[in-house]
Amino acid sequence: MDSLTQIVLGGAVAAAIAPSGHRRAALLAGAALGTLPDLDALWLGFTASDPVANMVEHRSFSHSLLVLPWVAAAIWWLFKRFGHGRVAQSPVRWFWAVQLALVTHPLLDAFTVYGTQLWWPLQPHPAMGSSVFIIDPAYTVWLLLGCVLAWFGRARPWAGKVLGMALLVSSAYLGWGLVAKAQVDKAAQQSLAAMGLGDAPRFSVPMPFNTLLWRVVAMTPSGYVVGDRSLLADSGPMQFEGHASNVQALREAAHVPAVQRLQWFNRGFMRAQVVDGTLVLSDLRMGLEPDYTFNFAVARQADGQWQPIVPEQRRTDYSSPQARAAMKGRLAMMWQRIWHTP
């Protein structure tokens, strides 16, 4: 999730657990702890060997449930031993405030589609619940409001109740996302089965900033199909549109390390294109057809064989007025699609 959401989630969790007299300190401490795991991006900026490594190593050790509890315990001990006394005054409540403010960060990230390595250094596929978009105001606003009111309410009893209500409503919204996803997956399965793709690998993910309009992608022998579903405007079978991918080139380049890393990270949800003799892979989980957020040149053809190259990220240029206008048009069409256009 975005940094603001993680900040207010950490602040709300810590302030709800810590003693009421420590509420402002807990809001600040929780906000810092809530954003701490994402500082791995700074580390990777210096240590990652290439853009593919940067992508697949993000949300790894710093988001692991096998690592963070120990980090939280160490932080708690340091503040208890060398701090200004709040942690020592109420060590048990502060222990759980620190633990949960830190651990809820990767748990929330796991609801997104990016991929969170909850069990690093073990190597199962990263968790991708894909039931909430990385920025969703309907989730964040309750936590933000709760933190603001608790800051001014300080130790007053109603401030604690506000924080509890904010956490309850935001958690209920995550639950709704799972319910909505199940409805979309059911409709997608029925339509894909009718197309002979009932067993095809697929995923569903909400469109930007909402959980009412969803996108479903299923892999096919020659590429992939994409469909969308509005929970308000649609009924009946889903419609899918087919797109080509150079699956032969992808198979031939299966030995390339960057291809293997991406296959593990995104579970094979990739578009393969050959551009001027270079194999370019696009992560189908993030972006809208035909523009995807993560595109990597990973191999070059030489003597009929795919040779690894240092991966290069190829970004879509949104700086031109035409590109910005096109993006605004897509967002406007998405809004109409949610409410009115079946």
Side-chain angles (χ1 to χ4, degrees), residues 20-318:
S20 59
H22 302 168
R23 189 159 286 142
R24 278 193 169 182
L27 284 167
L28 294 175
L33 291 167
T35 198
L36 183 63
D38 278 344
L39 295 183
D40 69 335
L42 299 178
W43 169 261
L44 291 171
F46 293 101
T47 62
S49 57
D50 57 68
V52 170
N54 197 329
M55 182 181 190
V56 303
E57 292 172 18
H58 180 45
R59 297 193 188 179
S60 57
F61 66 91
S62 69
H63 287 62
S64 172
L65 297 181
L66 301 179
V67 173
L68 287 181
W70 298 100
V71 174
I75 293 172
W76 170 82
W77 181 84
L78 287 172
F79 276 90
K80 181 174 178 288
R81 178 69 176 80
F82 301 106
H84 296 291
R86 290 190 182 91
V87 175
Q89 291 172 23
S90 186
V92 174
R93 295 184 72 166
W94 269 103
F95 176 83
W96 289 111
V98 173
Q99 283 281 348
L100 293 178
L102 203 55
V103 168
T104 50
H105 179 119
L107 292 178
L108 178 59
D109 275 348
F111 282 89
T112 69
V113 77
Y114 183 90
T116 305
Q117 298 178 51
L118 294 178
W119 308 112
W120 184 95
L122 305 179
Q123 294 292 306
H125 288 293
M128 45 170 278
S130 62
S131 60
V132 67
F133 190 68
I134 58 171
I135 302 174
D136 194 329
Y139 175 80
T140 307
V141 66
W142 308 107
L143 297 170
L144 179 60
L145 181 61
C147 287
V148 170
L149 292 176
W151 179 267
F152 291 104
R154 298 195 180 190
R156 295 182 179 88
W158 62 261
K161 294 178 181 178
V162 165
L163 285 170
M165 185 60 66
L167 289 166
L168 179 63
V169 173
S170 61
S171 298
Y173 184 76
L174 290 180
W176 152 250
L178 294 173
V179 171
K181 181 180 177 70
Q183 294 182 38
V184 172
D185 286 344
K186 181 179 179 180
Q189 177 62 27
Q190 292 173 348
S191 294
L192 290 170
M195 298 164 58
L197 296 172
D199 295 327
R202 62 175 169 83
F203 70 91
S204 57
V205 63
M207 295 282 205
F209 318 126
N210 77 100
T211 50
L212 297 174
L213 180 62
W214 293 69
R215 185 171 67 97
V216 178
V217 177
M219 306 307 293
T220 69
S222 60
Y224 56 98
V225 294
V226 180
D228 54 72
R229 184 79 169 179
S230 168
L231 295 175
L232 298 180
D234 287 348
S235 61
M238 284 187 66
Q239 302 289 321
F240 284 88
E241 184 178 63
H243 299 277
S245 174
N246 197 327
V247 294
Q248 179 179 348
L250 185 59
R251 284 194 298 267
E252 293 172 351
H255 64 282
V256 174
V259 175
Q260 295 174 350
R261 284 184 290 174
L262 288 170
Q263 286 274 14
W264 167 77
F265 186 71
N266 61 31
R267 309 184 189 213
F269 292 118
M270 292 186 291
R271 176 184 66 189
Q273 296 175 304
V274 177
V275 182
D276 297 329
T278 300
L279 179 61
V280 179
L281 302 181
S282 302
D283 193 321
L284 296 173
R285 301 172 305 157
M286 288 163 280
L288 296 174
E289 189 68 33
D291 299 322
Y292 291 96
T293 306
F294 294 99
N295 309 282
F296 302 101
V298 296
R300 186 168 290 114
Q301 205 164 32
D303 299 325
Q305 301 290 325
W306 288 107
Q307 303 297 329
I309 62 174
V310 177
E312 170 194 346
Q313 185 168 0
R314 298 191 172 183
R315 303 180 185 274
T316 302
D317 184 10
Y318 294 108

